Amino acid sequence: MSTRAAAALAATIGASLLVIAPAEARPDVVSYRGDYAPGTIVVKTNERRLYLIVDSDRAIRYPVGVGKAGKQWTGTAQIEGKYRDPAWAPPADVKRDHPNIPDVIAGGSPSNPMGVAAMTLSGGGQYAIHGTNRPQSVGHFVSYGCIRMYNDDIDDLYRRVSIGTPVVVTQR
């Protein structure tokens, strides 16, 4: 094989690895100014970012997927429950839009949209911060109002917060 052909083959293989490489956790400690107490989760839907407030000057920032047009919400809630490999029952509006979805998808199933962990939010049980089996959806407007994270990121956040943690969702 010529050097030129070998270089072309190596470039092709390298490019294909970039395309199929799994998404990685991306939390960053960043400078953050705001009026939130340490331990508060702040989701900025327009940024598609979740911030866990560390102190008056810093936060841990994660990329997230958020509600698509017509499905976004803002407000305050608290983490009401924490679950590893949760089963998922689609809410009525998801079931209405996708009637072929099963009534329940077992935890750990590759078709379960909750990923490796979920933290349900107060206010009726409709919304959660959860992992995803579709990492390419993180960073986009994709959900029915839930906050989607890479599985490694939800695992990290899950270990850092507890039931009762305040959650603020804004569009800014």
Side-chain angles (χ1 to χ4, degrees):
M1 176 183 299
S2 73
T3 304
R4 186 180 210 178
L9 179 59
T12 302
I13 291 170
S16 68
L17 289 176
L18 290 175
V19 172
I20 63 172
E24 296 177 17
R26 290 175 171 77
D28 296 313
V29 176
V30 297
S31 176
Y32 190 92
R33 295 275 185 195
D35 294 328
Y36 301 107
T40 301
I41 293 172
V42 178
V43 178
K44 294 187 173 189
T45 57
N46 284 347
E47 288 182 20
R48 288 160 321 280
R49 297 279 188 260
L50 180 151
Y51 296 86
L52 175 60
I53 306 304
V54 175
D55 57 35
S56 62
D57 297 318
R58 296 176 303 140
I60 300 171
R61 180 179 64 192
Y62 304 87
V64 295
V66 297
K68 57 187 170 182
K71 304 295 183 185
Q72 295 176 2
W73 64 280
T74 60
T76 60
Q78 294 181 336
I79 293 178
E80 192 169 74
K82 293 175 67 176
Y83 307 92
R84 291 281 185 183
D85 292 318
W88 179 68
D93 56 343
V94 174
K95 189 72 172 168
R96 183 180 50 254
D97 292 350
H98 305 281
N100 294 331
I101 290 178
D103 292 335
V104 175
I105 299 176
S109 167
S111 60
N112 183 317
M114 301 298 272
V116 299
M119 297 183 290
T120 54
L121 302 178
S122 60
Q126 183 173 348
Y127 301 116
I129 300 170
H130 61 81
T132 183
N133 61 359
R134 294 183 45 224
Q136 68 278 12
S137 68
V138 173
H140 301 282
F141 298 96
V142 292
S143 75
Y144 277 71
C146 286
I147 309 303
R148 290 186 190 175
M149 300 179 76
Y150 292 117
N151 282 326
D152 286 346
D153 286 351
I154 189 65
D155 190 51
D156 182 71
L157 183 64
Y158 187 100
R159 285 182 273 133
R160 294 177 187 271
V161 300
S162 59
I163 292 174
T165 294
V167 177
V168 179
V169 179
T170 72
Q171 288 189 343
R172 294 178 270 122

